[in-house]
Amino acid sequence: MSTIKCIIVDDEPLAQDVISDYISRLDFLSEVGKFDDALSAIEFLNTETIDLIFLDIQMPMLNGINFLKAVSSPPKVIFTTAHRHYAVDGFELNAVDYLIKPIPFYRFVQAIEKIRTHTDQPIKIPETSPGAAFFKVDNKKIKVYYTDILLIESLKDYIKVVLKDRFFVTYQTLSGMLELLPSSQFVQVHKSFIVNFHYISVIQGNVLEINDHTIPMGRSYRDQALEKIYLTGKKVWK
């Protein structure tokens, strides 16, 4: 994706330095301004266009909440604060995320991924190349054929896509994958698993097997899964 232009609005020099350091570690982020108070940031935004603000809440003269209310058509905002009780106000203003100081780097990355996911979701390949999609993995997009996918496992904000010969992890939700994948090949069998039911070799009770993988079936998903397997003509029950 293109470079994300950022500014930092925080009256604490140490907090500014931490965010600056984190920004410098990600090559798709670019810091274009740093401000000790909200009024100076407003003046900057009157003449410049940016993509993202790292915004402290408790600041002199004008706090971060009121600053955001005062800006017309604000860019995306990630709040940075030492106070959890502002979280409701932050999300009511459609903040991307709410980071509690001291901010660990992994949380910073998680917040940025929430922005990147809007443009970096798996992309369906046009009909001229049916049966595949592009997935974002390690700052590049890789082409994956649906027929090579054995199963998909939810890892909270990420998913693990298991192929015939390897696996990869990407930022996506299981529900998003259900919308992407063809229902003629895939079915959700558990709150944390989608499987390519053409590869199921054994079903025993509430467990199914695909190659050397054992996957649980949830009660609310089992009937739908069995119906699809039955329609394929497979005889895999024990």
Side-chain angles (χ1 to χ4, degrees), residues 22-224:
Y22 288 174
I23 290 172
S24 69
R25 299 186 196 184
L26 302 176
D27 57 9
F28 52 84
L29 297 183
S30 172
E31 180 187 320
V32 296
K34 190 183 298 184
F35 305 92
D36 298 325
D37 63 88
L39 296 178
S40 299
I42 288 176
E43 292 182 9
F44 180 83
L45 293 175
N46 285 335
T47 59
E48 302 292 335
T49 300
I50 65 160
D51 305 303
L52 174 63
I53 304 175
F54 292 98
L55 179 61
D56 187 23
I57 293 181
Q58 285 196 315
M59 292 185 292
M61 295 184 286
L62 185 66
N63 69 32
I65 298 291
N66 291 330
F67 160 81
L68 193 54
K69 292 178 179 178
V71 176
S72 60
S73 303
K76 291 181 173 61
V77 171
I78 295 175
F79 280 114
T80 60
T81 181
H83 303 280
R84 295 179 182 275
H85 63 271
Y86 286 116
V88 173
D89 293 326
F91 286 117
E92 284 180 352
L93 291 168
N94 295 319
V96 173
D97 208 338
Y98 187 93
L99 301 180
I100 303 296
K101 300 175 181 177
I103 303 166
F105 183 60
Y106 84 90
R107 275 294 289 124
F108 179 86
V109 172
Q110 286 179 343
I112 296 300
E113 285 297 325
K114 290 182 180 181
I115 297 173
R116 284 159 61 83
T117 190
H118 292 303
T119 54
D120 289 331
Q121 293 283 10
I123 301 171
K124 287 186 177 180
I125 296 174
E127 292 183 1
T128 53
S129 300
F134 280 109
F135 290 83
K136 189 171 188 306
V137 181
D138 297 331
N139 293 320
K140 61 184 177 182
K141 288 187 171 69
I142 62 172
K143 183 178 181 180
V144 177
Y145 289 96
Y146 298 141
T147 53
D148 289 335
I149 299 175
L150 301 183
L151 63 100
I152 298 147
E153 179 181 1
S154 173
L155 304 173
K156 293 186 178 179
D157 294 330
Y158 293 79
I159 57 167
K160 178 181 179 181
V161 180
V162 179
L163 307 178
K164 293 178 180 179
D165 56 352
R166 68 189 191 281
F167 71 87
F168 61 85
V169 175
T170 187
Y171 187 85
Q172 172 63 290
T173 62
L174 217 60
S175 59
M177 287 304 301
L178 276 177
E179 295 178 4
L180 176 75
L181 297 169
S183 60
S184 60
Q185 292 176 253
F186 294 88
V187 63
Q188 186 169 2
V189 297
H190 185 274
K191 66 180 181 180
S192 299
F193 289 96
I194 295 171
V195 301
N196 186 334
F197 54 83
H198 293 289
Y199 289 112
I200 296 173
S201 57
V202 172
I203 295 177
Q204 184 172 19
N206 291 323
V207 174
L208 59 84
E209 296 178 11
I210 296 178
N211 289 3
D212 57 348
H213 303 281
T214 301
I215 303 105
M217 282 197 295
R219 289 183 180 179
S220 59
Y221 301 96
R222 189 175 189 274
D223 289 345
Q224 181 185 11

